[in-house]
Amino acid sequence: MEVVKTLAQALAPLCNTDEAVLADWIEVPKNTEMGDYAFPCFRLSKTMRKAPNLIAGELAQNLKVPEGFVKCEAIGGYLNFFTDKSAVAGSVLSRVLKEGDAYGSSTEGNGKTVCIEYSSINIAKPFGFHHLPSTAIGNALYRIYKALGYNTVGINHLGDWGTQFGKMITAYKLWGDKPVDDYSIRELVALYVRFHDEADKDPSLNETARAWFHKIEQGDPEALELWTKMKDATIREVKVTYKRMGVDFDSWNGEAFYQDKMQPIIDELREKGISKVDQGAEIVDLSEWNMPPCIIVKSDGSTIYATRDLAAACYRKETYNFSKLLYVVAYQQDLHFRQFFKVLELMGRDWVKDCVHVNFGMVSMEGGAFHTREGKVLYLDDVLDAAVEKTYEIICEKSPDLEDKKSAAEAVGVGAILWSVLYNNRIKDVSFSWDKVLNFDGETAPYVQYTHARSCSVLRKAGGRPEAFDASLLDDPESTALLKAIAGFPEAVRQAAEKYEPYVVSRAIMQIANAFNRFYYEQRIMADDPAVRAARLALCDATRQVLKNGLNLLGILAPERM
Ligand code: ARG
């Protein structure tokens, strides 16, 4: 932080200690009466051979108060600094209003590439509610890294390979009644279910399925065409859902893409003596690291998930030369990632240190509020639809005069769902309840969106914000708290990226929304004094801007009216 640097610079000559060390010591007191920043003198007492409180006292006397501060005071062993509130207010406001949509972004990632793999759904399978966290968290991280200036590559590592496609083709050939392109995901899933039902009665179907999968592997034109069309039909349909969630990808290279890229890996593992043959299969023994072996080639000669992941990681390094590769995948796959990361390490790929499994907990529906027959997957689209429908009812009640209720309901309903997995530490399991996610007064996206719309409405009614304003008039406690929350936003964006935790951004904007509402109720924005009114409108506009930017980083829309 720049302020800390300024303080450390001022202190360094008087303390005879390195600036960077001093910067590390500086704290932000919980109680603002103790100042905005505090410098503890305890560790100096050794080198300066004096009691900490004496050092603090001397520093207070000899230090020229740095720019941006009004005073510094010795309290006990601390030297406490008080910022110049009006200068801070002025600089925060002018920065937000000048940077606009770019407030919160930076150039720190320039020249670096981050690959982010997220969503990674399976072809011809339901796009289920359980895919929500990977999709939402991955998309938020993608947007956050992009804002920080990184070159970002969003990858949907499709599950588009495996024996199930032999089953799908068998089922289609037997029972298909229209061109395969016309199948919806639900219809494809029904075919798959029917296959299993019938194969219970007639096991020879499994043979047929194996033969069809073999044909796909061999590149048989008919098999390949059917497989491709099923894949295209799935992608076409999920793209609609992704669009609703503001999600996009730069690459749709799934497992099948690595089919011809595994042999060099298998060869290298053999040549380097990393893999060995065990009961006809090729494995990498990981017992030394207390892990079960990583299977590279099965005894029937087929490769598996892990082999494709090894090939994918190497391909991505070669193609993108990433400085980071993030895998946004559920914690159920922790072991898989530890295993294949270890294999990469054994292969001498030192860049494996830049590969991160960004794992997350489970989502479930509280109290079965959204009932499905046992074992049946909940489709994400159905959840989004239900959210939008319920939101529509709420909006009709709250804002009967709103013109475009439909698009507001879509933005808020979908936003509420995304927020449900973006507001907590990733690894926490989320139990989902409609009352919680759609509560316009709770810690929800609708609440933040509503606050954003409120700020828009204030500005609309005021006919916009005056160009000139005097920020020193924003000295009441509510304005001060709001300014402080807004000032912290860029740092929150940075931290969210560093921790791979979008919740740092969602918490930051929740804090801003709360602070704004307190300000809104305690201070009259449309004050009689035009100068005060101008300053408050500027603050209102800055709030609008930062809420919009924060929601955008999370992939959530910020409607201006709702
Ligand atoms: N398609 C997989 C699933 O639905 C997730 C893929 C995760 N990514 C990976 N590189 N293994 O379980």
Side-chain angles (χ1 to χ4, degrees):
M1 257 200 314
E2 269 146 58
V3 195
V4 171
K5 223 164 129 188
T6 312
L7 290 179
Q9 250 164 20
L11 286 163
L14 299 177
C15 305
N16 227 333
T17 306
D18 202 47
E19 244 178 75
V21 176
L22 297 177
D24 244 14
W25 293 352
I26 292 170
E27 304 168 1
V28 176
K30 288 223 162 55
N31 176 358
T32 46
E33 287 183 8
M34 305 299 281
D36 300 289
Y37 295 90
F39 175 66
C41 301
F42 306 96
R43 275 183 274 194
L44 282 177
S45 68
K46 240 206 201 124
T47 49
M48 298 179 73
R49 294 167 202 272
K50 254 178 249 166
N53 58 331
L54 291 180
I55 300 176
E58 276 176 28
L59 286 175
Q61 256 177 14
N62 300 331
L63 190 77
K64 184 171 159 282
V65 178
E67 213 186 294
F69 289 85
V70 277
K71 61 172 177 178
C72 62
E73 244 174 43
I75 305 179
Y78 286 91
L79 184 63
N80 293 7
F81 294 89
F82 295 79
T83 51
D84 176 348
K85 293 218 168 33
S86 70
V88 172
S91 75
V92 173
L93 278 190
S94 55
R95 185 170 163 203
V96 180
L97 299 175
K98 189 175 102 230
E99 295 182 10
D101 288 349
Y103 180 67
S105 44
S106 78
T107 51
E108 69 167 71
N110 283 9
K112 285 188 226 139
T113 296
V114 177
C115 293
I116 309 176
E117 192 210 286
Y118 52 105
S119 205
S120 301
I121 52 153
N122 302 317
I123 296 297
K125 292 261 178 74
F127 186 2
F129 183 55
H130 57 282
H131 289 112
L132 173 67
S134 174
T135 309
I137 294 168
N139 184 44
L141 291 176
Y142 181 86
R143 287 161 175 261
I144 289 168
Y145 273 96
K146 207 177 195 72
L148 292 175
Y150 289 86
N151 175 36
T152 42
V153 184
I155 305 172
N156 197 339
H157 186 70
L158 297 173
D160 54 1
W161 198 250
T163 49
Q164 73 271 26
F165 293 100
K167 297 177 185 171
M168 293 296 307
I169 293 181
T170 306
Y172 176 72
K173 295 288 277 183
L174 285 170
W175 311 301
D177 52 9
K178 57 179 174 182
V180 71
D181 324 52
D182 291 349
Y183 272 71
S184 68
I185 294 177
R186 282 167 219 251
E187 288 167 330
L188 289 173
V189 172
L191 270 185
Y192 190 66
V193 170
R194 177 152 181 206
F195 176 90
H196 280 276
D197 289 346
E198 307 262 350
D200 281 346
K201 290 175 251 159
D202 175 7
S204 79
L205 286 178
N206 290 311
E207 279 313 312
T208 318
R210 251 191 294 277
W212 271 114
F213 182 58
H214 191 65
K215 280 190 177 179
I216 306 179
E217 281 184 304
Q218 300 303 313
D220 169 84
E222 186 189 4
L224 219 49
E225 189 190 328
L226 288 171
W227 170 76
T228 310
K229 284 189 168 162
M230 286 181 187
K231 184 165 152 170
D232 291 348
T234 305
I235 293 179
R236 213 184 314 122
E237 194 175 321
V238 295
K239 273 191 173 167
V240 178
T241 313
Y242 283 136
K243 190 155 184 230
R244 296 179 80 179
M245 297 193 287
V247 173
D248 206 354
F249 301 93
D250 302 294
S251 161
W252 295 75
N253 287 338
E255 296 189 36
F257 179 77
Y258 299 101
Q259 210 39 30
D260 61 356
K261 297 176 182 57
M262 286 179 285
Q263 199 55 48
I265 306 269
I266 298 169
D267 293 342
E268 184 183 337
L269 287 168
R270 273 184 206 145
E271 277 157 26
K272 290 188 173 162
I274 299 166
S275 63
K276 62 171 190 193
V277 177
D278 185 87
Q279 295 171 20
E282 288 189 46
I283 64 159
V284 177
D285 183 3
L286 299 173
S287 55
E288 199 177 314
W289 297 278
N290 288 320
M291 286 187 271
C294 184
I295 301 169
I296 306 295
V297 184
K298 284 201 288 192
S299 53
D300 65 3
S302 55
T303 53
I304 59 162
Y305 191 52
T307 329
R308 287 189 278 278
D309 261 327
L310 290 171
C314 294
Y315 172 84
R316 291 169 188 167
K317 185 64 195 176
E318 275 157 34
T319 309
Y320 305 112
N321 193 24
F322 55 75
S323 60
K324 245 179 204 151
L325 166 56
L326 310 182
Y327 294 89
V328 187
V329 179
Y331 72 65
Q332 280 90 340
Q333 298 196 31
D334 278 2
L335 177 62
H336 165 72
F337 281 95
R338 282 201 292 128
Q339 285 178 304
F340 93 82
F341 285 177
K342 181 54 86 180
V343 176
L344 285 170
E345 186 189 319
L346 295 173
M347 292 172 79
R349 303 295 199 271
D350 60 347
W351 46 260
V352 69
K353 64 176 188 340
D354 306 318
C355 298
V356 187
H357 177 203
V358 178
N359 56 4
F360 55 81
M362 292 208 301
V363 282
S364 58
M365 279 282 173
E366 195 171 78
F370 200 96
H371 211 70
T372 56
R373 257 192 300 134
E374 236 207 305
K376 238 184 127 193
V377 188
L378 194 52
Y379 281 76
L380 184 48
D381 247 333
D382 290 344
V383 179
L384 296 179
D385 285 344
V388 171
E389 209 174 288
K390 287 171 195 284
T391 306
Y392 185 77
E393 284 163 22
I394 300 176
I395 290 182
C396 286
E397 212 175 281
K398 275 188 171 273
S399 324
D401 303 329
L402 182 68
E403 258 174 49
D404 193 358
K405 295 193 189 68
K406 280 254 161 7
S407 55
E410 173 75 19
V412 176
V414 174
I417 300 294
L418 293 172
W419 184 273
S420 71
V421 292
L422 295 173
Y423 193 57
N424 286 302
N425 192 304
R426 286 185 334 255
I427 206 68
K428 247 182 98 168
D429 289 338
V430 175
S431 116
F432 184 98
S433 89
W434 287 115
D435 290 344
K436 243 177 4 205
V437 299
L438 292 181
N439 183 352
F440 279 45
D441 302 315
E443 297 188 349
T444 59
Y447 171 79
V448 178
Q449 288 169 312
Y450 195 76
T451 307
H452 169 266
R454 166 175 283 162
S455 65
C456 291
S457 143
V458 171
L459 289 160
R460 226 173 12 242
K461 284 185 195 135
R465 150 184 76 81
E467 251 336 293
F469 56 87
D470 174 2
S472 73
L473 298 170
L474 298 169
D475 56 355
D476 61 276
E478 287 79 21
S479 302
T480 307
L482 176 54
L483 281 161
K484 208 168 177 179
I486 293 175
F489 181 70
E491 177 60 16
V493 179
R494 229 185 44 71
Q495 272 191 30
E498 194 178 288
K499 299 182 180 162
Y500 320 116
E501 286 282 18
Y503 86 82
V504 183
V505 169
S506 53
R507 299 260 158 177
I509 56 174
M510 177 55 68
Q511 200 192 345
I512 294 167
N514 274 330
F516 177 76
N517 285 319
R518 252 173 252 131
F519 162 72
Y520 178 86
Y521 287 115
E522 297 297 329
Q523 306 295 336
R524 254 185 70 221
I525 296 181
M526 297 309 278
D528 296 331
D529 178 344
V532 173
R533 193 189 320 147
R536 288 184 183 163
L537 282 170
L539 181 53
C540 180
D541 197 22
T543 306
R544 175 200 62 74
Q545 183 70 61
V546 72
L547 291 179
K548 177 178 164 216
N549 295 4
L551 287 168
N552 180 46
L553 289 179
L554 301 172
I556 299 174
L557 292 174
E560 290 180 7
R561 295 166 201 257
M562 60 183 266

